[in-house]
Amino acid sequence: MSTPRTPTEVRLTRSERLDRLPFNGEHRRLLVGSGVGWALDAMDVGLISFVMAALAKQWQITPTEQSWIGSIGFVGMAIGASLGGLLADRIGRRNVFALTLLVYGLATGAAGLSTGLAMLIALRFVVGLGLGAELPVASTLVSEYAPARIRGRVVVILEAFWAVGWILAALIGYFVVPASDDGWRWALFIGVVPAAYALYVRARLPESVRFLEARGRTAEAEEAVRTFEAASDIAPVESPEAVHTKPAPWSDLWSAGLRGRTAALWAAWFGVNFSYYGAFIWIPSLLVSQGFSLTRSFGFTLIITLAQLPGYGAAAFLIEVWGRRATLATFLVGSAVSAYAFGQAGSEATIIAAGCALSFFNLGAWGALYAVTPEVYPTSLRGTGSGSAAAFGRIASIIAPLSVPWLLDLGGSGLVFTVFGVAFAFAAAAALALPEWRGRALVG
């Protein structure tokens, strides 16, 4: 009969040591620190929908020109997501997170000084570069620190900060943008806040333990783990020597063991991006075109946006009860039905009801998608895989705002939101092909 090991003899990897911890103050600091950056990102994306509606009146720009203001940022986001994921696997999650916040914060502030459409479009492209790189990197960092048993829930809560940022954008859109001819400029100047926050991020947030180990920086990795253990008053144990690894090449995403999940993930990202950004970037402008005043349409958008928070809350609960696939697919089906209903809505009451349902289900789906994405890849590919999926999805977010004027001419709002519903259903089918990772440790 073997003799049980004493606590000091137990050998756990540093990742296993993180997985055994309860949620503590260090987790909370990482979650809030990353989440505030995430909220500021959402505020920036949300503001452009209100700016578009205001400029349509002030600059007399056409629907096609409006669609370019909405889409050009997503061109930058597609490039930024790819580069950000690659850089995260090479120079670290935290460094990329801070750098991207700085880039898009400064570019957003500069966009407020735009003297014409070309200047605004050019600066929105730069904003997209920073924003696209930041989102998958932040979710990867939080995912790698969260205990396995609640990892999905923690990442969904991180995603819920997006709703906070979009609500801030709606408040700014409602109170600041219509206040004067320069209201849209003041709204964009507020976006400089992330530039200052980037300095805080770089100094305070921890680097990924898995990344540090892969680079042979074991002393830093051990210090980071011990900081989290100390927050739960848990004594450290000896860890075996970590294996030093190099970032895997991008082509490994399509290796025999990963190509199926990569294809399913990319399809889900494409469908969700197409419908979400097509709908929410255009909703304020569509309401104005239907005869509502700028202030009233912004008020409707604010109410619709508030429904995002309970959507995230429901997803955060269900993702550890139903699992990733079932939660994601269910919320996407709900999004499809809600999108169709919004397209058919004619009265103020039905517009608000269908819009709130769309917000609830769509943002819950976003939370589940961000939770599952980092889980399906090993450490050497996690940043690259997450960034590549996000980048492919950004292609859809470029196409969707550009397609809205054409779809409106072809069949009105009913056709627009029917197409969005079909894209949500397509994403739901793809979600069912993803692996289930509830309660399991991350690979590698």
Side-chain angles (χ1 to χ4, degrees), residues 134-316:
E134 189 274 323
L135 295 176
V137 172
S139 61
T140 297
L141 179 62
V142 171
S143 183
E144 290 182 330
Y145 268 101
R149 65 190 175 279
I150 57 169
R151 184 175 56 244
R153 184 165 296 161
V154 171
V155 176
V156 174
I157 293 171
L158 169 67
E159 237 287 292
F161 279 88
W162 183 270
V164 175
W166 204 282
I167 290 168
L168 287 173
L171 289 169
I172 294 168
Y174 184 74
F175 290 107
V176 177
V177 175
S180 69
D181 287 345
D182 288 330
W184 66 271
R185 296 185 187 275
W186 287 109
L188 292 178
F189 290 152
I190 296 172
V192 178
V193 173
Y197 180 68
L199 301 176
Y200 167 86
V201 170
R202 180 64 180 85
R204 297 290 302 278
L205 295 187
E207 181 54 270
S208 163
V209 169
R210 291 169 181 264
F211 170 80
L212 292 171
E213 287 185 328
R215 292 297 173 278
R217 294 158 59 180
T218 54
E220 293 174 68
E222 180 64 25
E223 181 182 359
V225 173
R226 291 191 177 211
T227 298
F228 275 73
E229 288 174 329
S232 293
D233 199 25
I234 292 178
V237 297
E238 183 181 357
S239 291
E241 193 65 30
V243 177
H244 303 172
T245 60
K246 295 181 179 180
W250 182 89
S251 58
D252 279 8
L253 294 175
W254 298 98
S255 60
L258 294 177
R259 67 169 67 103
R261 64 185 64 177
T262 295
L265 198 61
W266 283 28
W269 272 88
F270 190 93
V272 173
N273 271 272
F274 184 87
S275 297
Y276 173 75
Y277 287 109
F280 284 91
I281 289 294
W282 269 98
I283 280 176
S285 295
L286 290 176
L287 292 174
V288 170
S289 70
Q290 291 175 18
F292 295 105
S293 69
L294 199 65
T295 301
R296 193 158 183 77
S297 67
F298 286 4
F300 287 171
T301 305
L302 175 58
I303 294 170
I304 290 170
T305 302
L306 291 173
Q308 294 182 8
L309 282 174
Y312 280 124

